[in-house]
């Protein structure tokens, strides 16, 4: 975007434009790659908090839409029906596009969890980390210290409860990894 070149702040409508592009990308996954530079700009460490929050929200919405698309069967009036091969292929293409976009921006998305400027960004990033962990799109080792650090994000707008719930789910699946002393130390430094 041009704000990187001019040094000025983006217009107030920019987060809404990111939201609109996210809705379009949720239906047209082929556009995710074309919007890559816009997402990279919105996820920069110095990006305005509302813009960053909306960009992270787009990825949360993409994961949620992909989650519903990949269910193996649909229940209609008590009868389970299998998805057609066309629907299965479309779901596979959607999964591939979303996974590629998440991998491309993974470092910025994980770093957003510790954005000290905005509780909204931290909350959305933690929701995204939780969804990525549940779907196996990110290795737990890269997220555990940040989730542990967010456990201390108490207060009215903090996300300590969500972090605790995420850690409990991680502990149930990856007990040795979560309880490793190195993760607690890394979480204190985060």
């Amino acid at each position: 975007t041009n704000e990187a070149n001019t040094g000025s702040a983006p217009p107030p409508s920019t987060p809404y434009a990111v939201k609109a592009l996210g809705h379009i990308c949720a239906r047209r996954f082929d556009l995710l790659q074309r919007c890559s530079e816009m997402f990279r700009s919105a996820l920069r460490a110095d990006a305005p908090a509302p813009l960053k929050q909306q960009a992270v929200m787009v990825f949360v919405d993409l994961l949620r839409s992909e989650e519903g698309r990949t269910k193996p069967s649909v229940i209609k009036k008590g009868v389970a029906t299998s998805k057609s091969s066309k629907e299965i292929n479309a779901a596979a293409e959607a999964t591939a596009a979303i996974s590629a976009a998440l991998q491309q921006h993974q470092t910025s998305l994980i770093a957003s969890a510790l954005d000290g400027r905005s509780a909204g960004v931290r909350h959305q990033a933690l929701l995204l980390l939780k969804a990525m962990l549940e779907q196996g799109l990110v290795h737990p080792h890269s997220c555990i210290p940040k989730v542990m650090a967010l456990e201390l994000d108490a207060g009215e707008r903090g996300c300590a409860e969500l972090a605790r719930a995420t850690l409990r789910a991680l502990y149930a699946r990856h007990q040795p990894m979560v309880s490793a002393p190195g993760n607690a130390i890394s979480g204190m430094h985060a």
Side-chain angles (χ1 to χ4, degrees), residues 85-106:
S85 62
K86 185 177 180 180
E87 290 173 319
I88 292 171
N89 288 340
E93 287 177 17
T95 299
I98 292 171
S99 296
L102 285 168
Q103 292 301 317
Q104 187 173 17
H105 302 292
Q106 181 177 350

Side-chain angles (χ1 to χ4, degrees), residues 114 144-150 152 180-190:
L114 296 177
I144 290 171
K146 289 169 179 55
V147 175
M148 284 182 170
L150 287 172
L152 302 174
N183 285 327
I185 294 169
S186 296
M188 288 188 291
H189 291 288

Side-chain angles (χ1 to χ4, degrees), residues 10-11 14 17 19-20 28 32 51 55 61 67 75 77 84 88 95 103 122 124 128 139 146 169 189:
T14 304
K19 182 177 184 176
R28 294 264 327 265
L32 275 172
L51 180 63
D61 291 342
E67 206 172 74
I75 305 295
K77 295 183 183 177
S84 70
I88 292 171
T95 299
Q103 292 301 317
R122 290 190 304 274
Q124 288 301 318
L128 180 64
H139 195 281
K146 289 169 179 55
H189 291 288

Side-chain angles (χ1 to χ4, degrees), residues 155-170:
E156 181 179 316
R157 300 212 45 208
C159 51
E161 290 299 318
L162 181 58
R164 265 187 228 104
T166 304
L167 274 176
R168 283 187 198 111
L170 276 170

